Amino acid sequence: MSETRQRKTYDPTSLERRWQERWAETGLYKTDEDESKPKHYALTMLPYPSGDLHVGHWYPMTPSDTRARFMRMNGYRVFFPIGFDAFGLPAENAAIQRGIQPREWTYSNIERMRVQLRQMGAMFDFDSEVVTCAPEYYRWNQWFFVKFFEKGIAYREEAPVDWCPKDNTTLAREQVIGPDRRCERCGTPVIKKNLAQWLFRITDYAEELLDYSNIDWPERVETLQRNWIGRSEGAEIEFQIENYGPVEVFTTRPDTLFGATFFVMSPEHPAVEQITTPEQAEDVRAYVERAARMSEIDRTDATREKTGVFTGAFASNPANGEEIPIFIADYVLMGYGTGAIMAVPAHDERDFDFAREYGIEIRTVIAPPHWDGEDLEEPYAGGGTMVNSDGFDGTPSAEGKERVTAWLEERSAGRAAVTYRLHDWLISRQRYWGTPIPMIFCDECGIVAVPEEDLPVLLPEEAEFMPTGESPLKLDPDFYNTECPSCDGPATRETDTMDTFMDSSWYWYRYLSPHYDEGPFDPVRGEKWLPVDQYTGGIEHAILHLLYARFFTKVMRDLGLVDFDEPMTRLRNQGTILGPDGQKMSKSRGNVVNPQEYVDRFGSDALRGFLMFIGPWNEGGPWDGKGMEGVSRWLRRVLTLAADESSGGEADPSELPRRTNRLIKKLTEDLEAFRFNTSIAALMEHTNYLLAIKGRVEEDAWHGALRSFVTVLAPFAPHHAEEMWAESGGEYSVHEQSWPGYEEALIRAEEITLIVQVNGKLRDRIEAPADISEEAAKVLALESARVRPHLEGKELRKSVYVPGRLVNLVVG
RNA sequence: GCGAGAGUGGUGGAAUGGUAGACACGCUAGAUUUAGGAUCUAGUGCCUCAGGGCGUGCGGGUUCAAAUCCCGCCUCUCGCACCA
């Protein structure tokens, strides 16, 4: 009585709690260190401790866990750690609102989230946890910074930087988004500010970062990074300016040099002041001032009419000695190339617009195919044949690029050059809740790094962290005033903190030995586990985090810390899970889905199963919790497989071995390829089949099939599989079983449904032996009563036979 | 504007040249239950004169055979955007 009673009251949460306790007691998920097994480092992006784990965390993490479990069952020793990316603006903003310290807020959130993470029932190795705001972690941020400084990778520079007026801090170029240049965090339009800031020379690695040949990453990420790095090949060309000297331009089209009819400098170009003639000085000054005042939004609006001012000066075109007028115009940006361009209106849309506006000659120098010799009505940016270009006339433009460049090189007026859109990584932040930059300013010695033995430079515990635009740490005299490590004289500390992307650029190394104090990670552990074999996380990190991560590892390699080039061998991205309204989940929209209510009602296996089932994992999509019922019902039905009562159905019990093998094959292939939705579907289908044949299969065969099923269910629904394993007499734990193999021969059916088509249209389905001959199949087809009417009065012209599949009769 | 991805029932999706709609959600009917927002069974692309006909964004093509390959277009999503 109590038996059946218990089954009727399906209570997934207590079932799951029971097994989670058992797993914890028995240390089931302690990392396997058995070096006779091949290693597998499975990494999922670490969460930001915002307070509550939401479905946006479950969506990437639980399928990653399924994959890690699969690898474990396949005989790998698997390392699957987790941690918290704990520094950053949200902690500060939340803390400001509540009047408590960011540390307090962050750590209490971490406490909550640790509990919630355990509810997932994932095989995380919680002993390796890393919290990036802990001194034992950020000490190594500082250590890296000093190493980077010594190597010349980190440098300080006064330059116009992107500044968020709301968050009161500078931002990396990557954190400024959209055409209207808004702050990635708060959406406020950013402004330019002149500040001395620390930067990392990521541009030194631009070329290497374009090489993806040894990693298996999604093409999408590769494309995004390539576009971001923005490599352009072309030439730097010197134009002489009388009474000034040479000024360089960068162009991707040296073949159009003879068509340069004017010259444009960015308003910020250092030469502007000197070259401007007295008559033009007033106009130029007014334009420069206006450009400086203009917001970035207006400045970068591509649809805006071209404006500019003549400087009164002329530049000499090295190709033909022509003196062309020099303008300043805000469509030329100081931040790209050399900040000056040769303008070729016939072959560049922007230059064309400008020339029209200012009545400048538009000279065709590249003849489009079938050109009639007339002036061009609109700019032509494609390839063609060089014309009006002296000795180069008749040269195809592709070849012309090289020939013109070589010719310039001979005359020392230019050279082949490559330009990148990528800028160096701006590290400094004027906020409290981050890693202090370990640098000291001394009047005598200049900029001095904090010696290694003095690290970490501790972030003061009780600080005034209200953002004022100045670094909060500057207001703390105990922190700010210090001694110079080299001359012992009075000195001051750098009061900026590091961009939090610093923290996430190397955290997976720290997981290996989170408490190691002789270096950022224990090299012995590194030897055992690095690099990461499988990384999973959101596509939204394609540019920021994932580019920095690659850069960091390359610098670490050059520092002799690691001996490989890429941090993560394989990367797979999940799509974004949206709110029920199809919008991005956000607290302000109020469409954040809290997994807790679903876990309480359906259990975590149901939630993780549902998240895998709703669609292709790399596509994401809006949340619709209704579908969860289906997954929950399925899991409940799975448990009834172990019950004694038999049920009936129409399915054929003799299919059992074939279908079991087919299931194993399907899941093996799906998991390899990160296709979770079709895996769950196959498991449901198999469950339905097992229920239909239950009680009509011989005991041993049934048990074997059930054990196979439960074994392959384990990575997907770890709690339910464990329960079923125990119920069917398996020895603890199902998660220590090997992933079963399958036999191709057993998957092949003896009977097939032969499809009969007439002119490609389905006309009949006939049961036939799988190895039926073409002749026999054709006879069957021609005899079919459903087929015959479609043949009447027509001549059989041809038949096509696909073995084991179909016959197509072609008539006419 | 440039680059990438996508368009299939009422819904999420499956099928990567060979049975379109697997697996679910929802819906309909029935069974069971004191009750049910539980469970089970059957049905469920559209039209239909019940023979069939039509059907994967639109138009064309290749093929014995196309959701799938090719050409042209439309729509949506994402990224970049005066990058010389």
Side-chain angles (χ1 to χ4, degrees):
Chain A
M1 165 61 201
S2 67
E3 273 286 310
T4 49
R5 186 85 199 123
Q6 264 172 20
R7 287 217 178 84
K8 278 210 169 126
T9 50
Y10 169 60
D11 182 3
T13 37
S14 71
L15 179 156
E16 290 176 353
R17 200 177 322 114
R18 202 169 71 235
W19 286 114
Q20 283 172 12
E21 279 164 15
R22 181 87 191 272
W23 293 338
E25 275 162 25
T26 54
L28 184 66
Y29 301 131
K30 279 209 182 308
T31 298
D32 185 352
E33 299 286 350
D34 179 357
E35 285 189 64
S36 67
K37 297 178 182 170
K39 67 113 180 164
H40 181 78
Y41 188 164
L43 182 68
T44 189
M45 289 181 187
L46 84 176
Y48 179 80
S50 55
D52 279 302
L53 222 52
H54 52 85
V55 290
H57 294 112
W58 280 70
Y59 191 62
M61 286 179 185
T62 51
S64 301
D65 174 61
T66 292
R67 184 86 185 359
R69 289 173 178 278
F70 170 68
M71 294 307 284
R72 172 183 173 146
M73 293 177 87
N74 272 291
Y76 289 83
R77 59 184 160 98
V78 175
F79 184 45
F80 188 48
I82 191 74
F84 295 97
D85 185 17
F87 269 138
L89 288 182
E92 238 174 288
N93 293 338
I96 288 163
Q97 273 170 21
R98 288 155 222 238
I100 51 168
Q101 288 287 323
R103 176 178 285 98
E104 201 183 310
W105 182 83
T106 303
Y107 275 98
S108 74
N109 285 347
I110 288 174
E111 274 310 308
R112 294 240 300 273
M113 288 175 79
R114 274 184 188 135
V115 176
Q116 295 168 340
L117 272 172
R118 282 175 195 275
Q119 277 194 335
M120 276 183 187
M123 60 171 283
F124 288 129
D125 177 354
F126 289 101
D127 295 342
S128 302
E129 184 197 82
V130 160
V131 177
T132 61
C133 66
E136 70 170 355
Y137 184 83
Y138 70 69
R139 169 186 178 185
W140 301 105
N141 277 347
Q142 296 174 338
W143 184 87
F144 276 120
F145 192 98
V146 171
K147 293 284 172 206
F148 282 26
F149 175 68
E150 287 164 357
K151 223 181 144 52
I153 300 283
Y155 66 99
R156 196 170 127 102
E157 190 178 73
E158 178 140 356
V161 294
D162 294 310
W163 173 270
C164 173
K166 177 145 182 279
D167 289 333
N168 271 307
T169 186
T170 54
L171 299 169
R173 176 64 191 86
E174 287 82 351
Q175 289 164 324
V176 178
I177 52 170
D180 48 358
R181 298 180 45 81
R182 287 170 184 276
C183 169
E184 181 211 33
R185 289 253 173 250
C186 66
T188 309
V190 304
I191 57 172
K192 285 279 183 199
K193 239 191 177 183
N194 255 325
L195 286 174
Q197 302 279 290
W198 287 99
L199 295 103
F200 286 167
R201 269 185 224 285
I202 190 171
T203 52
D204 280 6
Y205 290 82
E207 200 59 48
E208 204 194 329
L209 287 166
L210 287 166
D211 179 11
Y212 298 83
S213 54
N214 292 317
I215 47 175
D216 173 11
W217 279 31
E219 217 180 293
R220 241 186 109 189
V221 173
E222 189 180 321
T223 306
L224 284 167
Q225 292 197 351
R226 273 183 194 287
N227 291 345
W228 187 259
I229 294 167
R231 184 182 195 275
S232 291
E233 231 170 88
E236 279 167 3
I237 304 176
E238 283 180 9
F239 281 65
Q240 290 293 332
I241 300 173
E242 212 177 315
N243 299 327
Y244 181 79
V247 171
E248 282 196 340
V249 301
F250 173 76
T251 179
T252 55
R253 294 295 301 273
D255 54 319
T256 64
L257 178 57
F258 288 82
T261 52
F262 62 107
F263 190 101
V264 189
M265 284 179 181
S266 160
E268 297 90 2
H269 196 285
V272 170
E273 216 183 305
Q274 269 197 63
I275 63 163
T276 303
T277 59
E279 306 82 71
Q280 295 298 317
E282 190 136 327
D283 287 355
V284 168
R285 195 180 314 117
Y287 189 84
V288 170
E289 274 173 23
R290 204 169 54 130
R293 270 202 316 269
M294 206 186 297
S295 75
E296 285 286 332
I297 308 168
D298 299 333
R299 179 74 192 269
T300 55
D301 179 4
T303 59
R304 199 165 55 92
E305 271 192 12
K306 299 286 173 287
T307 62
V309 172
F310 179 46
T311 61
F314 291 83
S316 170
N317 184 337
N320 51 19
E322 272 179 16
E323 293 290 321
I324 56 176
I326 303 174
F327 289 79
I328 59 168
D330 60 13
Y331 79 90
V332 173
L333 308 172
M334 200 55 224
Y336 184 78
T338 63
I341 61 157
M342 63 176 209
V344 185
H347 305 292
D348 180 278
E349 202 179 323
R350 295 151 300 175
D351 300 345
F352 185 89
D353 291 348
F354 193 88
R356 274 259 169 111
E357 194 78 29
Y358 292 85
I360 304 166
E361 186 199 351
I362 297 169
R363 186 191 306 156
T364 306
V365 291
I366 300 295
H370 317 297
W371 183 49
D372 57 8
E374 294 292 311
D375 284 348
L376 297 170
E377 290 295 312
E378 47 187 46
Y380 176 73
T385 310
M386 292 175 71
V387 292
N388 296 324
S389 300
D390 297 352
F392 293 96
D393 283 357
T395 313
S397 46
E399 190 188 327
K401 286 180 189 176
E402 285 169 31
R403 283 190 52 199
V404 171
T405 306
W407 182 73
L408 287 167
E409 232 158 294
E410 272 166 36
R411 304 168 40 135
S412 303
R415 68 210 66 83
V418 173
T419 294
Y420 302 94
R421 238 184 44 150
L422 182 71
H423 287 63
D424 278 341
W425 174 11
L426 184 91
I427 285 290
S428 305
R429 295 292 179 275
Q430 293 69 43
R431 296 295 294 237
Y432 164 70
W433 192 232
T435 305
I437 292 174
M439 289 290 157
I440 290 172
F441 302 108
C442 170
D443 286 341
E444 294 298 314
C445 314
I447 299 175
V448 184
V450 174
E452 203 178 319
E453 60 272 19
D454 293 346
L455 298 179
V457 176
L458 286 171
L459 187 63
E461 294 247 347
E462 295 292 326
E464 184 52 64
F465 55 83
M466 293 302 230
T468 59
E470 280 271 32
S471 301
L473 294 178
K474 209 169 236 175
L475 306 174
D476 182 340
D478 292 343
F479 180 89
Y480 184 53
N481 298 309
T482 186
E483 281 174 9
C484 171
S486 31
C487 71
D488 294 334
T492 57
R493 286 191 192 279
E494 168 64 80
T495 52
D496 286 353
T497 52
M498 296 181 201
D499 180 6
T500 52
F501 277 100
M502 178 84 180
D503 310 329
S504 53
S505 292
W506 68 280
Y507 70 97
W508 61 95
Y509 293 101
R510 191 66 188 165
Y511 279 146
L512 298 170
S513 47
H515 310 298
Y516 187 69
D517 64 3
E518 284 162 50
F521 67 93
D522 180 350
V524 176
R525 304 282 302 151
E527 195 60 42
K528 226 174 139 175
W529 289 103
L530 294 172
V532 170
D533 296 284
Q534 178 63 62
Y535 197 28
T536 52
I539 188 81
E540 67 272 20
H541 294 106
I543 292 172
L544 291 154
H545 164 56
L546 289 170
L547 194 61
Y548 295 152
R550 295 180 64 216
F551 160 67
F552 223 90
T553 290
K554 289 175 195 301
V555 179
M556 285 170 73
R557 176 201 59 202
D558 293 345
L559 289 168
L561 293 166
V562 296
D563 59 3
F564 44 84
D565 304 317
E566 293 283 351
M568 298 108 185
T569 315
R570 195 169 186 239
L571 171 73
R572 290 295 178 268
N573 299 115
Q574 80 277 6
T576 311
I577 188 94
L578 303 169
D581 54 359
Q583 299 293 305
K584 205 174 163 183
M585 276 193 203
S586 76
K587 272 186 189 155
S588 56
R589 275 202 193 86
N591 61 351
V592 176
V593 176
N594 179 4
Q596 196 61 50
E597 55 183 291
Y598 292 95
V599 173
D600 291 345
R601 220 169 120 203
F602 301 107
S604 57
D605 276 354
L607 180 54
R608 52 188 282 154
F610 175 63
L611 288 168
M612 288 188 260
F613 183 59
I614 42 176
W617 188 62
N618 58 355
E619 283 174 26
W623 168 267
D624 179 7
K626 273 187 197 159
M628 262 207 71
E629 304 252 359
V631 177
S632 175
R633 273 176 215 153
W634 163 58
L635 288 171
R636 199 189 47 74
R637 279 204 311 277
V638 164
L639 293 187
T640 66
L641 280 170
D644 294 333
E645 324 93 66
S646 60
S647 56
E650 280 174 33
D652 177 0
S654 70
E655 288 264 276
L656 185 56
R658 187 174 86 80
R659 296 186 68 138
T660 301
N661 274 269
R662 199 180 65 178
L663 174 72
I664 296 167
K665 182 184 182 192
K666 172 78 180 153
L667 297 186
T668 306
E669 291 173 353
D670 275 359
L671 282 173
E672 198 45 55
F674 279 76
R675 282 191 302 253
F676 303 101
N677 57 329
T678 47
S679 288
I680 301 287
L683 284 163
M684 287 175 168
E685 201 176 354
H686 196 74
T687 306
N688 294 342
Y689 170 74
L690 288 176
L691 281 169
I693 63 163
K694 195 174 158 206
R696 293 191 287 134
V697 184
E698 189 253 326
E699 179 104 13
D700 283 357
W702 172 258
H703 258 274
L706 198 60
R707 285 169 72 102
S708 295
F709 168 70
V710 172
T711 310
V712 296
L713 175 71
F716 298 92
H719 309 86
H720 284 71
E722 193 77 281
E723 177 79 6
M724 285 294 289
W725 186 252
E727 287 223 27
S728 60
E731 195 182 320
Y732 180 80
S733 152
V734 70
H735 302 296
E736 287 181 316
Q737 304 306 307
S738 293
W739 187 258
Y742 55 89
E743 277 183 57
E744 224 34 94
L746 283 171
I747 293 169
R748 260 175 256 125
E750 285 171 21
E751 281 268 306
I752 53 137
T753 305
L754 184 73
I755 300 306
V756 183
Q757 297 179 335
V758 178
N759 289 346
K761 290 203 174 209
L762 175 75
R763 294 302 174 192
D764 200 5
R765 294 165 203 189
I766 304 169
E767 295 304 310
D771 57 354
I772 188 170
S773 72
E774 176 166 4
E775 271 313 302
K778 207 170 138 185
V779 168
L780 272 180
L782 288 168
E783 279 173 356
S784 158
R786 289 168 167 275
V787 168
R788 249 181 281 146
H790 297 279
L791 302 176
E792 248 160 59
K794 289 174 183 158
E795 186 192 340
L796 181 68
R797 293 203 175 143
K798 174 178 177 181
S799 75
V800 179
Y801 176 62
V802 181
R805 253 207 166 117
L806 63 80
V807 176
N808 187 12
L809 303 171
V810 184
V811 298

